[in-house]
Amino acid sequence: DEADIVKSNGKWVFAGYGDVLFAWNATDGTNGISITKMPYNDTSEENCTSPYYGGPFPEPIAVAVEETTAGGNADATDSATSSSSQGNGASGKKNRHGVKRHLNYRGRNNNNRQTMSIMPPCFDCPMPCYKPPKPRILSLLLEGDRLVAIVSEENYQPIPFDGPKSVPPIVSNWQKLVVRVYDISDVPSDGSPLTLLAEKSIKGEFNDARSFDETGILVTTSYLDTWQFATGLYRYNKEYCGLNATEYSKKASELAQNMTDEFATRLFEELELDDDCSNIFQISAMQSGSDEDSTDGNLLSNFVQISRFDMAADYSNQDIPMKRGGAFAPGYIRSIYSSQNSTFTFNSGYSYNPELGQWESSTFILGFDISGDPSPLAIAEIPGEPINQYAADLFDGHLRVATTKWHWWNDVSTTTNRIFVLKVPDETEGSKMNVAGFTKHLGKINESIFAVRYIGDKGYVVTFEQKDPFLVVDLSNYTDPH
């Protein structure tokens, strides 16, 4: 069952609206309603303890302007600059710290130049109070007498600013998810809220959720800031000045190796992986080892996590026990597909084609076994992007995926539409899903896929540019779909 913002068991209707969960009788809406508001700390300005950016924060303040005329230099003083700026139409208004800004705009005879001198950073500037927005109900799951609400809350955490030595977090999530389980065995109709049984906070941004009987599956993504690791490795840094290619490579490699342990430890802690990596894809399994891996691809752009929990548990301590699996992946999640025993995520991104010297759209597929604790199952990469979750289907040990690949530089057709058939490996075949077969281009030139459905060994595809061709694809022969 797919998560949605509205759910019904035939007797009651449950709907999330902003930060409020409504429930009413499905057959007679006049019988009353239950209203459950998500918790929100509406801190007053006087009691606020979380200023913007963790304040105090350095803010550059513009003061004196050193004036340069066409015939030479003039002495720069606050008074001279102020009068000069005002005489030339510059703004002498005060900013919110009560400090005047002096800008000297020069006419065409002075080459339209504008100069401004900046004071050193201010570490004691007062900052306004930060009040996060209200939480928002993203989706609901329903099973038996349990209702699960997946709620987004802004995950603002002030960064203690210690000057230039401050280190920002690697996991750059501005949201956190809160999973709340409610008892709906006795829904009130007098406006009172549902009974909360348990809740759990999860790092990451919500992608999608499913339920299979009493099992809930939640897919989230945490975005990673790898720039702080990589920035010191680029050739333009001054420490590499004068080095040849071999010397640069050696020095950059030594620097990277010295930073790796500390960076990995921080990343491990921020992702809260519970001292266990057994359910996470090994990054080495995702690399081909070819020269293509050296063309600026980033396998650490985000962390995809699959969380599994029991919706029917007793929750004696009001906590929701969860089992998790995950993988580092490039791109961003386009869609997910789930069956009762497996979940596949489809990350859209770009791969480098060394023959053409171009980056091309591609989809990185991560498969997880969810029959027990979520664990790595299979990986694959195929050209193009799926339009939505219906573009994929698991049938008889094979994953079928329909994609559109865009290539705007092509004078003949800007698209290629195909269905790929991938063999899901068993325990003895490793983790790579090999392509068993794929179709020729589906549709006419320049058309892209707009809808896909699978029924048994048939695929049904609609493509579009000006008209809507309807195509039936025979998938009974995995090596020759047509």
Side-chain angles (χ1 to χ4, degrees):
D1 184 39
E2 184 178 357
D4 206 342
I5 202 67
V6 178
K7 286 291 183 182
S8 178
N9 58 7
K11 182 178 180 180
W12 299 97
V13 178
F14 305 92
Y17 185 81
D19 64 331
V20 182
L21 176 59
F22 295 97
W24 64 89
N25 189 288
T27 58
D28 186 357
T30 64
N31 284 344
I33 193 169
S34 169
I35 302 175
T36 306
K37 295 198 68 174
M38 299 299 106
Y40 175 64
N41 183 15
D42 191 7
T43 307
S44 64
E45 190 84 17
E46 295 76 15
N47 298 325
C48 179
T49 58
S50 296
Y52 281 112
Y53 309 113
F57 191 83
E59 178 172 321
I61 300 176
V63 286
V65 175
E66 182 177 346
E67 194 172 346
T68 304
T69 64
N73 296 328
D75 292 338
T77 65
D78 288 347
S79 59
T81 303
S82 177
S83 61
S84 173
S85 299
Q86 293 170 5
N88 286 279
S91 172
K93 294 181 179 180
K94 292 182 178 181
N95 65 10
R96 57 190 174 89
H97 300 297
V99 179
K100 284 188 176 181
R101 291 181 179 269
H102 303 293
L103 304 180
N104 180 31
Y105 295 94
R106 300 180 176 233
R108 182 171 298 176
N109 293 335
N110 290 314
N111 300 322
N112 293 320
R113 296 177 59 194
Q114 170 189 334
T115 58
M116 184 171 63
S117 177
I118 305 297
M119 285 281 291
C122 169
F123 290 91
D124 297 310
C125 303
M127 303 301 292
C129 180
Y130 174 80
K131 299 177 70 173
K134 290 184 177 181
R136 184 164 59 97
I137 300 173
L138 300 178
S139 220
L140 304 172
L141 293 172
L142 177 64
E143 174 60 34
D145 59 0
R146 300 291 172 86
L147 179 73
V148 177
I150 302 167
V151 184
S152 172
E153 295 182 359
E154 185 160 322
N155 191 32
Y156 173 78
Q157 296 293 335
I159 302 173
F161 194 88
D162 301 321
K165 295 183 179 180
S166 291
V167 179
I170 301 172
V171 179
S172 53
N173 289 328
W174 286 96
Q175 290 183 352
K176 74 172 181 179
L177 294 179
V178 180
V179 180
R180 294 190 172 99
V181 180
Y182 294 94
D183 180 9
I184 58 171
S185 60
D186 184 16
V187 178
S189 57
D190 58 355
S192 57
L194 300 174
T195 301
L196 177 65
L197 298 177
E199 65 179 11
K200 179 86 168 182
S201 295
I202 299 177
K203 278 193 173 183
E205 297 186 10
F206 176 70
N207 296 120
D208 214 335
R210 300 286 190 275
S211 64
F212 305 100
D213 298 326
E214 298 172 345
T215 299
I217 299 294
L218 180 64
V219 182
T220 58
T221 298
S222 293
Y223 296 95
L224 310 181
D225 175 19
T226 56
W227 173 251
Q228 55 185 283
F229 178 87
T231 182
L233 305 178
Y234 285 97
R235 184 66 184 264
Y236 55 70
N237 288 286
K238 62 181 181 181
E239 54 264 36
Y240 306 124
C241 182
L243 302 182
N244 61 34
T246 302
E247 293 169 336
Y248 156 70
S249 179
K250 180 179 179 180
K251 188 167 184 177
S253 297
E254 292 175 351
L255 178 61
Q257 292 174 4
N258 291 335
M259 295 189 299
T260 298
D261 286 346
E262 186 270 340
F263 184 84
T265 300
R266 286 177 52 210
L267 180 58
F268 193 89
E269 293 174 349
E270 290 184 28
L271 288 174
E272 299 176 355
L273 296 179
D274 301 328
D275 298 327
D276 185 9
C277 288
S278 60
N279 291 335
I280 297 176
F281 273 106
Q282 291 186 3
I283 295 177
S284 59
M286 305 179 189
Q287 295 176 304
S288 66
S290 68
D291 292 339
E292 297 178 25
D293 293 328
S294 62
T295 51
D296 206 24
N298 184 5
L299 280 173
L300 293 177
S301 62
N302 60 66
F303 181 74
V304 178
Q305 183 169 273
I306 309 294
S307 301
R308 185 179 189 269
F309 62 98
D310 184 2
M311 297 168 58
D314 56 11
Y315 302 127
S316 56
N317 59 356
Q318 296 187 322
D319 182 47
I320 305 175
M322 289 191 176
K323 299 296 184 180
R324 301 185 295 175
F328 295 97
Y332 63 94
I333 286 190
R334 182 88 174 193
S335 61
I336 75 166
Y337 170 82
S338 278
S339 66
Q340 291 190 351
N341 294 318
S342 56
T343 293
F344 295 87
T345 67
F346 300 87
N347 280 49
S348 294
Y350 291 88
S351 59
Y352 186 74
N353 186 331
E355 295 180 359
L356 298 177
Q358 296 171 336
W359 290 88
E360 299 178 328
S361 63
S362 62
T363 296
F364 199 78
I365 305 172
L366 300 172
F368 298 88
D369 182 353
I370 58 171
S371 58
D373 294 353
S375 59
L377 174 63
I379 57 174
E381 183 178 355
I382 56 176
E385 301 175 352
I387 184 172
N388 54 31
Q389 67 195 55
Y390 300 106
D393 178 72
L394 184 63
F395 180 77
D396 191 29
H398 290 76
L399 184 69
R400 293 94 64 95
V401 187
T403 68
T404 294
K405 178 182 176 182
W406 297 88
H407 28 84
W408 301 104
W409 61 89
N410 194 311
D411 295 332
V412 178
S413 178
T414 58
T415 61
T416 301
N417 307 312
R418 289 174 174 169
I419 294 180
F420 292 87
V421 181
L422 300 100
K423 173 67 169 65
V424 179
D426 58 31
E427 296 179 354
T428 64
E429 295 175 325
S431 61
K432 184 177 181 180
M433 287 186 288
N434 294 310
V435 176
F438 56 87
T439 65
K440 296 180 180 179
H441 173 69
L442 302 174
K444 298 180 180 180
I445 62 172
N446 297 327
E447 290 181 344
S448 60
I449 293 176
F450 262 59
V452 186
R453 293 294 188 277
Y454 300 93
I455 301 177
D457 60 4
K458 296 292 190 298
Y460 302 88
V461 181
V462 175
T463 60
F464 176 78
E465 185 191 24
Q466 296 296 330
K467 297 182 179 180
D468 292 316
F470 178 70
L471 310 171
V472 180
V473 184
D474 184 358
L475 301 171
S476 58
N477 185 344
Y478 302 130
T479 62
D480 183 30
H482 59 275

Tab-separated table of all heavy atoms in Angstrom, residues 449-480:
chain	number	residue	atom	x	y	z
A	449	ILE	N	8.629	9.420	-23.147
A	449	ILE	CA	7.645	8.564	-22.477
A	449	ILE	C	6.801	9.397	-21.516
A	449	ILE	O	7.331	10.160	-20.710
A	449	ILE	CB	8.357	7.425	-21.733
A	449	ILE	CG1	9.018	6.481	-22.735
A	449	ILE	CG2	7.376	6.656	-20.858
A	449	ILE	CD1	9.838	5.377	-22.103
A	450	PHE	N	5.489	9.228	-21.609
A	450	PHE	CA	4.571	9.941	-20.732
A	450	PHE	C	3.834	9.014	-19.771
A	450	PHE	O	3.340	9.467	-18.743
A	450	PHE	CB	3.547	10.728	-21.573
A	450	PHE	CG	3.907	12.178	-21.736
A	450	PHE	CD1	5.115	12.540	-22.331
A	450	PHE	CD2	3.065	13.170	-21.292
A	450	PHE	CE1	5.466	13.866	-22.485
A	450	PHE	CE2	3.403	14.508	-21.436
A	450	PHE	CZ	4.609	14.866	-22.035
A	451	ALA	N	3.725	7.724	-20.073
A	451	ALA	CA	3.022	6.793	-19.181
A	451	ALA	C	3.487	5.370	-19.470
A	451	ALA	O	3.788	5.026	-20.623
A	451	ALA	CB	1.509	6.906	-19.354
A	452	VAL	N	3.571	4.566	-18.400
A	452	VAL	CA	3.989	3.166	-18.522
A	452	VAL	C	3.169	2.319	-17.556
A	452	VAL	O	2.914	2.733	-16.412
A	452	VAL	CB	5.488	2.973	-18.198
A	452	VAL	CG1	5.915	1.532	-18.484
A	452	VAL	CG2	6.356	3.944	-18.963
A	453	ARG	N	2.758	1.142	-18.002
A	453	ARG	CA	2.172	0.135	-17.120
A	453	ARG	C	2.647	-1.245	-17.583
A	453	ARG	O	2.916	-1.457	-18.765
A	453	ARG	CB	0.636	0.167	-17.146
A	453	ARG	CG	0.004	1.405	-16.565
A	453	ARG	CD	0.251	1.530	-15.063
A	453	ARG	NE	-0.533	2.625	-14.502
A	453	ARG	CZ	-0.176	3.896	-14.512
A	453	ARG	NH1	0.974	4.240	-15.097
A	453	ARG	NH2	-0.931	4.828	-13.976
A	454	TYR	N	2.743	-2.183	-16.612
A	454	TYR	CA	3.137	-3.551	-16.924
A	454	TYR	C	2.046	-4.498	-16.431
A	454	TYR	O	1.527	-4.348	-15.310
A	454	TYR	CB	4.452	-3.922	-16.240
A	454	TYR	CG	5.631	-3.058	-16.638
A	454	TYR	CD1	5.971	-1.935	-15.896
A	454	TYR	CD2	6.408	-3.376	-17.748
A	454	TYR	CE1	7.052	-1.143	-16.237
A	454	TYR	CE2	7.491	-2.587	-18.111
A	454	TYR	CZ	7.814	-1.472	-17.344
A	454	TYR	OH	8.885	-0.689	-17.705
A	455	ILE	N	1.679	-5.458	-17.266
A	455	ILE	CA	0.752	-6.520	-16.865
A	455	ILE	C	1.341	-7.829	-17.371
A	455	ILE	O	1.393	-8.066	-18.589
A	455	ILE	CB	-0.657	-6.310	-17.449
A	455	ILE	CG1	-1.236	-4.969	-16.985
A	455	ILE	CG2	-1.578	-7.448	-17.024
A	455	ILE	CD1	-2.595	-4.654	-17.587
A	456	GLY	N	1.820	-8.659	-16.438
A	456	GLY	CA	2.441	-9.917	-16.826
A	456	GLY	C	3.650	-9.686	-17.702
A	456	GLY	O	4.557	-8.917	-17.351
A	457	ASP	N	3.674	-10.346	-18.871
A	457	ASP	CA	4.830	-10.223	-19.763
A	457	ASP	C	4.612	-9.169	-20.844
A	457	ASP	O	5.258	-9.199	-21.891
A	457	ASP	CB	5.173	-11.570	-20.405
A	457	ASP	CG	4.020	-12.131	-21.232
A	457	ASP	OD1	2.981	-11.431	-21.372
A	457	ASP	OD2	4.147	-13.258	-21.755
A	458	LYS	N	3.724	-8.224	-20.601
A	458	LYS	CA	3.472	-7.141	-21.542
A	458	LYS	C	3.739	-5.786	-20.883
A	458	LYS	O	3.489	-5.594	-19.688
A	458	LYS	CB	2.024	-7.168	-22.035
A	458	LYS	CG	1.644	-8.404	-22.825
A	458	LYS	CD	2.356	-8.449	-24.164
A	458	LYS	CE	1.791	-9.568	-25.048
A	458	LYS	NZ	1.978	-10.911	-24.464
A	459	GLY	N	4.253	-4.867	-21.687
A	459	GLY	CA	4.434	-3.497	-21.240
A	459	GLY	C	3.607	-2.572	-22.115
A	459	GLY	O	3.511	-2.774	-23.338
A	460	TYR	N	2.993	-1.550	-21.503
A	460	TYR	CA	2.143	-0.615	-22.236
A	460	TYR	C	2.719	0.792	-22.049
A	460	TYR	O	2.861	1.267	-20.917
A	460	TYR	CB	0.702	-0.694	-21.730
A	460	TYR	CG	0.123	-2.086	-21.856
A	460	TYR	CD1	0.284	-3.027	-20.837
A	460	TYR	CD2	-0.548	-2.472	-23.015
A	460	TYR	CE1	-0.235	-4.313	-20.957
A	460	TYR	CE2	-1.067	-3.766	-23.143
A	460	TYR	CZ	-0.905	-4.670	-22.113
A	460	TYR	OH	-1.405	-5.936	-22.247
A	461	VAL	N	3.037	1.422	-23.172
A	461	VAL	CA	3.772	2.682	-23.130
A	461	VAL	C	3.065	3.738	-23.985
A	461	VAL	O	2.608	3.439	-25.098
A	461	VAL	CB	5.218	2.496	-23.649
A	461	VAL	CG1	5.996	3.809	-23.570
A	461	VAL	CG2	5.937	1.401	-22.869
A	462	VAL	N	2.989	4.950	-23.443
A	462	VAL	CA	2.504	6.102	-24.200
A	462	VAL	C	3.650	7.088	-24.345
A	462	VAL	O	4.264	7.483	-23.346
A	462	VAL	CB	1.308	6.788	-23.506
A	462	VAL	CG1	0.918	8.065	-24.274
A	462	VAL	CG2	0.126	5.844	-23.419
A	463	THR	N	3.961	7.472	-25.584
A	463	THR	CA	4.974	8.503	-25.843
A	463	THR	C	4.269	9.748	-26.373
A	463	THR	O	3.102	9.694	-26.784
A	463	THR	CB	6.019	8.019	-26.858
A	463	THR	OG1	5.365	7.690	-28.087
A	463	THR	CG2	6.758	6.799	-26.331
A	464	PHE	N	4.973	10.879	-26.361
A	464	PHE	CA	4.308	12.124	-26.764
A	464	PHE	C	5.308	13.162	-27.252
A	464	PHE	O	6.388	13.320	-26.698
A	464	PHE	CB	3.524	12.710	-25.577
A	464	PHE	CG	2.899	14.043	-25.874
A	464	PHE	CD1	1.739	14.129	-26.622
A	464	PHE	CD2	3.485	15.204	-25.418
A	464	PHE	CE1	1.166	15.360	-26.910
A	464	PHE	CE2	2.925	16.443	-25.700
A	464	PHE	CZ	1.757	16.519	-26.452
A	465	GLU	N	4.923	13.844	-28.328
A	465	GLU	CA	5.481	15.139	-28.714
A	465	GLU	C	4.331	16.018	-29.199
A	465	GLU	O	4.009	17.031	-28.598
A	465	GLU	CB	6.535	15.030	-29.805
A	465	GLU	CG	7.169	16.395	-30.070
A	465	GLU	CD	8.042	16.410	-31.316
A	465	GLU	OE1	7.825	15.576	-32.209
A	465	GLU	OE2	8.922	17.276	-31.395
A	466	GLN	N	3.653	15.579	-30.271
A	466	GLN	CA	2.453	16.271	-30.740
A	466	GLN	C	1.224	15.368	-30.658
A	466	GLN	O	0.116	15.826	-30.448
A	466	GLN	CB	2.653	16.754	-32.187
A	466	GLN	CG	3.762	17.789	-32.346
A	466	GLN	CD	3.448	19.081	-31.607
A	466	GLN	OE1	2.281	19.449	-31.447
A	466	GLN	NE2	4.475	19.775	-31.158
A	467	LYS	N	1.442	14.056	-30.823
A	467	LYS	CA	0.361	13.082	-30.716
A	467	LYS	C	0.696	12.113	-29.587
A	467	LYS	O	1.753	12.179	-28.981
A	467	LYS	CB	0.178	12.340	-32.041
A	467	LYS	CG	-0.239	13.258	-33.196
A	467	LYS	CD	-0.457	12.457	-34.473
A	467	LYS	CE	-0.899	13.364	-35.615
A	467	LYS	NZ	-1.127	12.619	-36.872
A	468	ASP	N	-0.203	11.178	-29.300
A	468	ASP	CA	-0.020	10.223	-28.208
A	468	ASP	C	-0.030	8.791	-28.726
A	468	ASP	O	-1.024	8.080	-28.605
A	468	ASP	CB	-1.136	10.373	-27.155
A	468	ASP	CG	-1.050	11.687	-26.410
A	468	ASP	OD1	0.056	12.055	-26.034
A	468	ASP	OD2	-2.088	12.331	-26.217
A	469	PRO	N	1.080	8.317	-29.298
A	469	PRO	CA	1.119	6.917	-29.729
A	469	PRO	C	1.003	5.974	-28.525
A	469	PRO	O	1.550	6.241	-27.451
A	469	PRO	CB	2.499	6.786	-30.382
A	469	PRO	CG	2.916	8.184	-30.709
A	469	PRO	CD	2.305	9.043	-29.648
A	470	PHE	N	0.262	4.869	-28.713
A	470	PHE	CA	0.101	3.856	-27.667
A	470	PHE	C	0.791	2.588	-28.135
A	470	PHE	O	0.460	2.038	-29.183
A	470	PHE	CB	-1.389	3.602	-27.413
A	470	PHE	CG	-1.645	2.535	-26.392
A	470	PHE	CD1	-1.357	2.753	-25.056
A	470	PHE	CD2	-2.180	1.311	-26.771
A	470	PHE	CE1	-1.596	1.768	-24.104
A	470	PHE	CE2	-2.420	0.318	-25.831
A	470	PHE	CZ	-2.129	0.556	-24.499
A	471	LEU	N	1.780	2.132	-27.354
A	471	LEU	CA	2.616	1.004	-27.770
A	471	LEU	C	2.440	-0.161	-26.811
A	471	LEU	O	2.380	0.021	-25.582
A	471	LEU	CB	4.092	1.414	-27.797
A	471	LEU	CG	4.430	2.708	-28.566
A	471	LEU	CD1	5.877	3.091	-28.313
A	471	LEU	CD2	4.179	2.521	-30.047
A	472	VAL	N	2.367	-1.380	-27.373
A	472	VAL	CA	2.341	-2.609	-26.578
A	472	VAL	C	3.661	-3.334	-26.816
A	472	VAL	O	4.037	-3.595	-27.964
A	472	VAL	CB	1.158	-3.512	-26.956
A	472	VAL	CG1	1.173	-4.791	-26.112
A	472	VAL	CG2	-0.169	-2.768	-26.783
A	473	VAL	N	4.381	-3.642	-25.736
A	473	VAL	CA	5.716	-4.236	-25.842
A	473	VAL	C	5.686	-5.658	-25.310
A	473	VAL	O	5.202	-5.904	-24.186
A	473	VAL	CB	6.754	-3.402	-25.057
A	473	VAL	CG1	8.151	-3.988	-25.252
A	473	VAL	CG2	6.716	-1.946	-25.488
A	474	ASP	N	6.174	-6.588	-26.094
A	474	ASP	CA	6.265	-7.997	-25.698
A	474	ASP	C	7.551	-8.193	-24.898
A	474	ASP	O	8.653	-8.042	-25.425
A	474	ASP	CB	6.259	-8.885	-26.944
A	474	ASP	CG	6.261	-10.371	-26.610
A	474	ASP	OD1	6.303	-10.698	-25.402
A	474	ASP	OD2	6.229	-11.188	-27.542
A	475	LEU	N	7.407	-8.547	-23.616
A	475	LEU	CA	8.556	-8.728	-22.728
A	475	LEU	C	8.743	-10.191	-22.330
A	475	LEU	O	9.459	-10.492	-21.373
A	475	LEU	CB	8.381	-7.876	-21.466
A	475	LEU	CG	8.227	-6.357	-21.696
A	475	LEU	CD1	7.833	-5.666	-20.400
A	475	LEU	CD2	9.514	-5.780	-22.240
A	476	SER	N	8.093	-11.093	-23.043
A	476	SER	CA	8.157	-12.509	-22.663
A	476	SER	C	9.551	-13.095	-22.850
A	476	SER	O	9.967	-13.985	-22.109
A	476	SER	CB	7.134	-13.308	-23.484
A	476	SER	OG	7.381	-13.149	-24.881
A	477	ASN	N	10.299	-12.600	-23.846
A	477	ASN	CA	11.683	-13.026	-24.055
A	477	ASN	C	12.582	-11.934	-23.465
A	477	ASN	O	12.691	-10.848	-24.039
A	477	ASN	CB	11.967	-13.209	-25.546
A	477	ASN	CG	13.363	-13.767	-25.809
A	477	ASN	OD1	14.223	-13.750	-24.949
A	477	ASN	ND2	13.568	-14.269	-27.038
A	478	TYR	N	13.231	-12.238	-22.362
A	478	TYR	CA	14.004	-11.214	-21.638
A	478	TYR	C	15.156	-10.663	-22.470
A	478	TYR	O	15.542	-9.509	-22.295
A	478	TYR	CB	14.546	-11.800	-20.337
A	478	TYR	CG	13.478	-12.338	-19.429
A	478	TYR	CD1	13.587	-13.630	-18.887
A	478	TYR	CD2	12.360	-11.601	-19.117
A	478	TYR	CE1	12.615	-14.143	-18.066
A	478	TYR	CE2	11.368	-12.106	-18.289
A	478	TYR	CZ	11.502	-13.389	-17.779
A	478	TYR	OH	10.524	-13.879	-16.969
A	479	THR	N	15.688	-11.465	-23.358
A	479	THR	CA	16.833	-11.012	-24.155
A	479	THR	C	16.413	-10.313	-25.445
A	479	THR	O	17.255	-9.764	-26.139
A	479	THR	CB	17.736	-12.209	-24.497
A	479	THR	OG1	16.986	-13.150	-25.281
A	479	THR	CG2	18.242	-12.891	-23.234
A	480	ASP	N	15.112	-10.361	-25.758
A	480	ASP	CA	14.644	-9.741	-27.009
A	480	ASP	C	13.284	-9.071	-26.799
A	480	ASP	O	12.295	-9.463	-27.442
A	480	ASP	CB	14.566	-10.804	-28.116
A	480	ASP	CG	14.157	-10.200	-29.460
A	480	ASP	OD1	14.488	-8.997	-29.680
A	480	ASP	OD2	13.506	-10.899	-30.264
